[in-house]
Amino acid sequence: MSKRVLTARTLTTESGAPVADNQNSATAGVGGPLLLQDQHLLEKLARFNRERIPERVVHARGSGAYGHFEVTDDVTGYTCADFLNTIGKRTEVFVRFSTVADSLGGADAVRDPRGFAVKFYTEEGNYDLVGNNTPVFFIKDPIKFPDFIHSQKRDPFTGRQEPDNVWDFWAHSPEATHQVTWLMGDRGIPASYRHMNGYGSHTYQWTNAEGEAFFVKYHFKTNQGIRCLSTEQAQEIAGKDPNSHQTDLLQAIERGVHPSWTLYVQIMPAAEAADYRFNPFDVTKVWPHKDYPLQRVGRLVLDRNPDNVFAEVEQAAFSPNNFVPGIGPSPDKMLQGRLFAYADAHRYRLGVNHTKLAVNAPKAVPGGANNYGRDGFMASNPQGRHAKNYEPNSYDGPVETGRPLSAPLAVSGHTGTHEAPLHSKDDDFFQAGELYRLMSREEKQRLVANIAGGLSQVSRDDVIEKNLAHFHAADPDYGRRVEEAVRALRED
């Protein structure tokens, strides 16, 4: 046989051998049964069977894009984070948007919170800011999170989302009233990912060069303007194009219309947290802007689509415990729970070496993370034969800096399963009522109709009554109108 040289156009097997025929399987004679020795066929089928990984339990349906963040205002008095230390400084980012409750095959245009996760590829490592398009959340303790998500996902018996389950959980979770009011209001269904705000939702800590600590909340304000869909519009769009948000983001960037957001923060000196009228670490609450005004930080721009959605969007791994010097956690209990849960979800889905994937790898260090992690699925051993996998050592391996990322948090008292401390305005309904009273007459009408449409489908009267009590507690007019609307729908 003559020697053949493989070229860039030669189709090969996984082992690099040339493929003779990619159209016909090997058989025992013409028309005969297939042969087990057809390595190319078996390899293709086996690989195809394994092309999907476990989808995210929440935020499964997502879209993403690359871009940059540029500092526009001086915040060095509040944080020593390197990527925020100079006006005009740019940092590469990857942003993933998502719906929360439905599966990977769900529609984009649905009434659901939207995930808003930003990965900053800073010179001091990756900083992940994981939030939503709402400034609050349904619950304030992570021990309730699995139960909450179970109530919102498909029922084990019927295989569909059940109003009985959704509203029964909310009936027993009065702290959800604020977020339910957001979700059922006009901003519950964004017209696209480009036309919604993003929020860090949680409270984080910033630390400046002098070691002074501040608590902050992040607000990404869309520069495209807020645009939302009515329930009827969303149903029509979801039926015509279930991928409507993905399509919009992809096509906008491809035609050079680069979406952007202006980042603002609310800043609270750490000493003010204890006596603030709301618990500043309760993710079901906001900080009113009149108490802590928005301060501009910079501009986020998305200008490049991923080349491969699976490799770069599905395998993108965000974790709120990925901090950089100058930024750290707060005592926010939901944030504390997510510091573990997010990273562990990615270890389960992608493997312990998922941080070596291109979309997740830090750009601060050549070759990726510089530590003593070895082995596990997809280990590549880039350190070579002489590198050690322990520390300290005598072989010039990487060493600690001795510099904490953020200021220490003071703790006191006894261990135990404590409820969060109450502040002067800490009830579950005050801010929900404030939000309702900010709405126009038309906005209130749509809010009430959206709530009644779901609540009227609940089969148990006691569950309906518990939920109605929450709306009455938020605002008497709010409760009365929801009650009347539910009654009218149930009498039809």
Side-chain angles (χ1 to χ4, degrees), residues 374-435:
R374 300 286 190 277
D375 305 338
F377 288 115
M378 304 299 289
S380 58
N381 191 34
Q383 298 89 352
R385 67 173 67 176
H386 299 298
K388 303 303 177 184
N389 65 344
Y390 58 88
E391 196 276 336
N393 61 60
S394 303
Y395 295 85
D396 296 323
V399 296
E400 64 195 28
T401 66
R403 182 166 67 101
L405 299 187
S406 56
L409 295 171
V411 296
S412 63
H414 301 280
T415 60
T417 54
H418 305 292
E419 292 186 9
L422 288 177
H423 292 231
S424 61
K425 286 290 186 181
D426 264 345
D427 65 62
D428 294 321
F429 310 111
F430 177 82
Q431 290 198 351
E434 291 279 272
L435 177 59

Side-chain angles (χ1 to χ4, degrees), residues 14 34 60 73 87 128 137 139 162 176 196 309-310 320 326 387 424 463 473:
E14 296 288 343
L34 301 182
D73 294 78
I87 292 176
D128 290 352
F137 195 60
I139 55 175
E162 291 292 345
M196 68 181 195
V309 172
F310 178 82
S424 61
V463 172

Side-chain angles (χ1 to χ4, degrees), residues 158-423:
T158 66
R160 65 191 184 103
Q161 191 180 52
E162 291 292 345
D164 274 358
N165 299 349
V166 170
W167 289 96
D168 186 37
F169 183 87
W170 288 343
H172 291 88
S173 305
E175 70 267 30
T177 308
H178 193 184
Q179 173 71 314
V180 170
T181 303
W182 269 90
L183 179 62
M184 296 299 173
D186 281 359
R187 295 194 182 186
I189 314 178
S192 78
Y193 290 132
R194 296 183 297 127
H195 295 92
M196 68 181 195
N197 291 340
Y199 301 89
S201 300
H202 297 291
T203 300
Y204 294 89
Q205 185 204 73
W206 276 6
T207 308
N208 65 19
E210 288 71 43
E212 295 177 288
F214 303 86
F215 293 119
V216 300
K217 282 186 175 291
Y218 294 88
H219 301 250
F220 290 89
K221 299 288 190 177
T222 176
N223 294 320
Q224 290 69 238
I226 295 288
R227 283 182 50 201
C228 302
L229 303 173
S230 67
T231 300
E232 295 74 23
Q233 289 172 323
Q235 290 171 343
E236 181 179 355
I237 290 173
K240 290 181 177 178
D241 181 9
N243 307 302
S244 57
H245 287 26
Q246 163 68 13
T247 302
D248 176 85
L249 182 66
L250 173 75
Q251 293 182 351
I253 294 175
E254 286 298 292
R255 66 176 184 266
V257 179
H258 299 153
S260 67
W261 290 258
T262 300
L263 173 61
Y264 299 87
V265 292
Q266 290 176 284
I267 300 176
M268 174 188 292
E272 297 180 12
D275 296 323
Y276 186 48
R277 57 191 173 126
F278 305 110
N279 181 351
F281 312 118
D282 179 349
V283 74
T284 69
K285 306 287 194 303
V286 297
W287 302 353
H289 293 181
K290 64 182 179 181
D291 295 345
Y292 295 98
L294 296 180
Q295 301 188 45
R296 194 175 66 176
V297 180
R299 183 180 176 90
L300 173 71
V301 180
L302 299 181
D303 56 15
R304 179 166 67 89
N305 283 310
D307 293 324
N308 184 298
V309 172
F310 178 82
E312 298 164 86
V313 179
E314 271 302 288
Q315 294 193 127
F318 297 84
S319 177
N321 66 4
N322 288 340
F323 293 113
V324 292
I327 304 178
S330 78
D332 181 332
K333 293 180 77 173
M334 279 298 297
L335 172 60
Q336 292 281 325
R338 283 171 165 154
L339 297 181
F340 164 76
Y342 274 60
D344 193 55
H346 300 310
R347 285 188 286 265
Y348 156 69
R349 294 182 60 249
L350 303 169
V352 73
N353 286 305
H354 68 271
T355 55
K356 294 180 173 59
L357 296 171
V359 69
N360 301 321
K363 303 180 185 300
V365 181
N370 195 22
N371 57 39
Y372 294 93
R374 300 286 190 277
D375 305 338
F377 288 115
M378 304 299 289
S380 58
N381 191 34
Q383 298 89 352
R385 67 173 67 176
H386 299 298
K388 303 303 177 184
N389 65 344
Y390 58 88
E391 196 276 336
N393 61 60
S394 303
Y395 295 85
D396 296 323
V399 296
E400 64 195 28
T401 66
R403 182 166 67 101
L405 299 187
S406 56
L409 295 171
V411 296
S412 63
H414 301 280
T415 60
T417 54
H418 305 292
E419 292 186 9
L422 288 177
H423 292 231

Side-chain angles (χ1 to χ4, degrees), residues 26-159:
T27 61
V30 178
L34 301 182
L35 296 176
L36 188 62
Q37 71 184 41
D38 189 346
Q39 183 252 1
H40 180 49
L41 168 66
L42 300 186
E43 185 177 76
K44 283 186 72 175
L45 294 178
R47 183 181 181 86
F48 179 76
N49 286 344
R50 292 161 175 81
E51 283 184 353
R52 293 296 172 263
I53 57 177
E55 70 173 42
R56 292 167 168 87
V57 177
V58 288
H59 297 278
R61 171 70 188 157
S63 303
Y66 294 94
H68 65 266
F69 176 78
E70 181 175 354
V71 178
T72 58
D73 294 78
D74 182 11
V75 292
T76 54
Y78 305 107
T79 178
C80 59
D82 181 77
F83 78 103
L84 298 175
N85 68 5
T86 306
I87 292 176
K89 189 167 190 174
R90 286 191 174 189
T91 298
E92 184 181 353
V93 300
F94 181 78
V95 177
R96 186 178 187 270
F97 307 100
S98 56
T99 53
V100 176
D102 211 346
S103 61
L104 186 57
D108 287 341
V110 294
R111 188 171 296 279
D112 198 17
R114 301 297 190 276
F116 195 107
V118 186
K119 186 181 294 292
F120 299 85
Y121 299 101
T122 88
E123 296 174 4
E124 296 182 300
N126 289 353
Y127 172 44
D128 290 352
L129 181 57
V130 180
N132 287 323
N133 71 325
T134 61
V136 292
F137 195 60
F138 297 92
I139 55 175
K140 52 190 172 186
D141 194 304
I143 203 167
K144 298 180 70 171
F145 188 76
D147 300 295
F148 163 60
I149 294 301
H150 289 164
S151 75
Q152 309 298 301
K153 300 286 276 189
R154 296 176 186 269
D155 182 84
F157 171 64
T158 66

